[in-house]
Amino acid sequence: MDAADAAARLAAVPAADRVALVDPRFVGHRHALRLALTDPRFDAAAVAGAVSVQAKARPALARALGGLAAGAPATVSATGGHQTGTALADAPGAAPGTVSGQAAGGPAVRADVLPDAVAAALDAEDAAPHRPELGVLVATVPADADARAAATAAVGAVDEESVRLRSAVKARDGFFTTHFISPYSRYVARWCARRGLTPNQVTTASLLVALIAAGCAATGTRVGFVAAGVLLIASFVLDCTDGQLARYSLQYSTLGAWLDATFDRAKEYAYYAGLALGAARGGDDVWALALGAMVLQTCRHVVDFAFTEANHDATGNTSPTAALSDRLDSVGWTVWVRRMIVLPIGERWALIAVLTAVTTPRITFVVLLVGCALAACYTTAGRVLRSLTRRAGRTDRAAQALHDLADSGPLAEAVAGAVRPLAARLPAFAPPAVALAGGGLLVATAALAPAGSWWVVAAAAVYVVTSGLAVARPLKGALDWLVPPFFRAAEYGTLLALSAISGVNGALPAAFGLVAAVAYHHYDTVYRIRGGTGAPPRALVRAAGGHEGRALLVAVLAAALAHHTGLTVALTVLAVALALLVLTESIRFWVSAHRAGAPAVHDESGEPA
């Protein structure tokens, strides 16, 4: 059939269905077709001889077929019923021509290959199909018998399953993950795929194993610590497996990406709590170290997220620091050293697991804190240098993302509205400088003032004012991406300091739970922005009080309930209330987004470091 026939058949297919056009003369690997026809992340995708579109791109496909039908009709049609979606038709071969394929400058187009012509027309419709990198995989429409024989031989010369397994492994990963986990976890992923398991099921299994590991650590025995270390590594193997399974079987989803990222945080912080409980059974109180580790790790992530979002669509990057980084990445050994220095999740979990098994929780936390602090200094210094030496324009989208990451509540919003004329006249470096000054004053006062001091409340009031001033104008300055990390450090650091010096039994574990609830809210904000779904509703942010409102409230509670068990109760109630508030909204949002068919996403970059 020709383009007109294909258009007619398209009109008969339900608008919500994915459709595919595959030339019946196609020769290539099944995985090349999988990449073009089943990857849910792209509205349209194509390889030589095949093209597919999802519901969002169906109107563009209809216009493309209509244009082709009105122009030069093609004689080739569609097949591929073994693929997900609806195949439009099947037809006999067409006239010979030049072999089509994936050329360096773009796909070659033959008039007698309808899928290629459609893909080119979609380019013109501003609905350009994703064209996956095939590497050694073959996807072609032979022009004659000799070309078909050559293509068939090329298909047979490549071990498709080996290629598929290699491509299941993330291209850029940490040293420990690359050399000690992925060589066998990819086979676990294939085993899961052949038994019909989904990435989300594997993600959930990883969480359960990590929670069991935390429970073993909480026993406080050497056997429990050894078992905890082993189980933590097993959990990480499953954590790698879920992403590899998603890539192997092309099972991507917005819900899956959220679960993977959220469960990673839950696993690590639950394990910290387990270690602290285990230490307490042995008579050692390390809750301050556990809370410090969570605060430091969360602030590291916020630095990564804020910098990435600030520069996601920046224009005109001419940073010599970035150029130096690119040159270092071209030298093999420096790549691995730099990936290890930042202590990514693989190295970090391996370090925690080994130290748990052979040392004590206190030593584990001290080494972890030192390592994460050095990694934070290294990465933050590099990003500051990049920001200072680059010439780039920050977009409104980037400024909005930073504003959302700031998590300003009603108090900061009111101050921002009042001081906006003044903020417009301040120098470019004012927002991060003001945020640092206000946050630093608050944390220093909380750490140095005696328990119950109302000076902390006064410092929190100053922090409210500086927080509003810092966000009173769009965050488009070179270092404005530091504003959200400074806010996180101020809020979490204040909680840590006040609970540590209070002397109240149970205050530190309660503060740990409160920081965990607030950190979940902040991570959820990041994942919504990354998934292109926007920040949480302002009503939720206001109901949660914003970072400045929570800091002020905790300061008042610490002053009013000093040396009183009521402080532990108050922090616990606040933690539970915030957890219920943010978890309920978050779960509702992600589940409804998944059911509504939100665009599938998959994080190929892994945990930022």
Side-chain angles (χ1 to χ4, degrees), residues 407 463 486-495 518 522 547 550-551:
D407 190 36
Y463 177 67
F486 286 156
F487 287 164
R488 297 297 81 77
E491 181 181 2
Y492 300 160
T494 300
L495 267 169
V518 176
H522 291 145
H547 67 95
R550 291 188 296 269

Side-chain angles (χ1 to χ4, degrees), residues 271-555:
Y271 193 83
Y272 291 173
L275 278 178
L277 289 170
R281 285 180 177 271
D284 191 11
D285 186 356
V286 298
W287 275 106
L289 294 176
L291 180 51
M294 181 165 65
V295 169
L296 179 56
Q297 190 57 38
T298 304
C299 289
R300 280 189 65 200
H301 282 145
V302 176
V303 168
D304 299 325
F305 295 143
F307 179 80
T308 300
E309 290 303 323
N311 298 284
H312 177 74
D313 48 8
T315 57
N317 182 8
T318 57
S319 167
T321 308
L324 174 61
S325 178
D326 292 339
R327 287 197 297 273
L328 290 175
D329 278 344
S330 66
V331 182
W333 68 270
T334 64
V335 174
W336 293 118
V337 170
R338 296 175 72 212
R339 291 186 191 179
M340 293 173 68
I341 286 175
V342 300
L343 208 63
I345 188 170
E347 277 74 359
R348 193 168 65 251
W349 282 28
L351 176 69
I352 295 171
V354 171
L355 290 175
T356 298
V358 302
T359 66
T360 65
R362 179 172 292 275
I363 293 176
T364 300
F365 280 124
V366 169
V367 174
L368 179 63
L369 282 166
V370 171
C372 286
L374 293 175
C377 291
Y378 170 77
T379 55
T380 304
R383 284 166 180 157
V384 168
L385 285 175
R386 287 190 184 208
S387 300
L388 291 175
T389 57
R390 74 184 301 162
R391 301 184 188 90
R394 188 154 291 149
T395 64
D396 291 338
R397 176 200 175 280
Q400 182 61 48
L402 292 178
H403 178 79
D404 293 334
L405 290 174
D407 190 36
S408 299
L411 296 178
E413 286 182 332
V415 172
V419 302
R420 190 157 287 125
L422 170 64
R425 296 194 295 270
L426 293 177
F429 61 83
V434 170
L436 176 60
L441 173 66
L442 176 58
V443 174
T445 306
L448 299 176
S453 172
W454 287 90
W455 282 110
V456 181
V457 178
V462 173
Y463 177 67
V464 169
V465 175
T466 58
S467 296
L469 183 59
V471 296
R473 69 186 190 197
L475 298 176
K476 293 187 175 183
L479 295 177
D480 283 1
W481 57 270
L482 286 169
V483 170
F486 286 156
F487 287 164
R488 297 297 81 77
E491 181 181 2
Y492 300 160
T494 300
L495 267 169
L496 172 59
L498 291 177
S499 57
I501 68 170
S502 68
V504 176
N505 185 37
L508 275 167
F512 187 96
L514 179 54
V515 170
V518 176
Y520 176 86
H521 166 56
H522 291 145
Y523 280 119
D524 185 53
T525 301
V526 169
Y527 302 141
R528 293 196 195 204
I529 294 172
R530 277 189 161 188
T533 55
R538 289 302 303 168
L540 174 68
V541 177
R542 293 190 180 101
H547 67 95
E548 80 291 348
R550 291 188 296 269
L552 179 60
L553 176 59
V554 169

Side-chain angles (χ1 to χ4, degrees), residues 139-198:
T140 186
V141 178
D144 51 37
D146 290 340
R148 174 171 291 276
T152 303
V155 170
V158 173
D159 184 348
E160 178 181 9
E161 182 61 18
S162 176
V163 173
R164 190 179 177 190
L165 276 173
R166 287 199 305 271
S167 63
V169 176
K170 197 183 301 178
R172 180 181 175 87
D173 221 330
F175 179 85
F176 179 77
T177 304
T178 299
H179 294 287
F180 293 93
I181 302 297
S182 293
Y184 57 87
S185 62
R186 70 184 76 180
Y187 295 101
V188 178
R190 181 173 65 181
W191 183 90
C192 293
R194 291 177 175 177
R195 282 153 184 81
L197 298 177
T198 67

Side-chain angles (χ1 to χ4, degrees), residues 25 94-100 108-114 116-117 140-143:
R25 299 164 298 173
T98 305
V99 175
S100 85
V109 179
R110 281 170 43 186
D112 66 318
V113 180
L114 181 58
D116 289 0
T140 186
V141 178

Side-chain angles (χ1 to χ4, degrees), residues 207-235 267 270-282 352-353 356-357 359-361:
L207 173 65
L208 294 176
V209 172
L211 293 179
I212 296 172
C216 290
T219 64
T221 64
R222 179 52 52 193
V223 172
F225 287 149
V226 172
V230 172
L231 288 172
L232 188 63
I233 294 298
S235 174
K267 288 180 286 189
Y271 193 83
Y272 291 173
L275 278 178
L277 289 170
R281 285 180 177 271
I352 295 171
T356 298
T359 66
T360 65

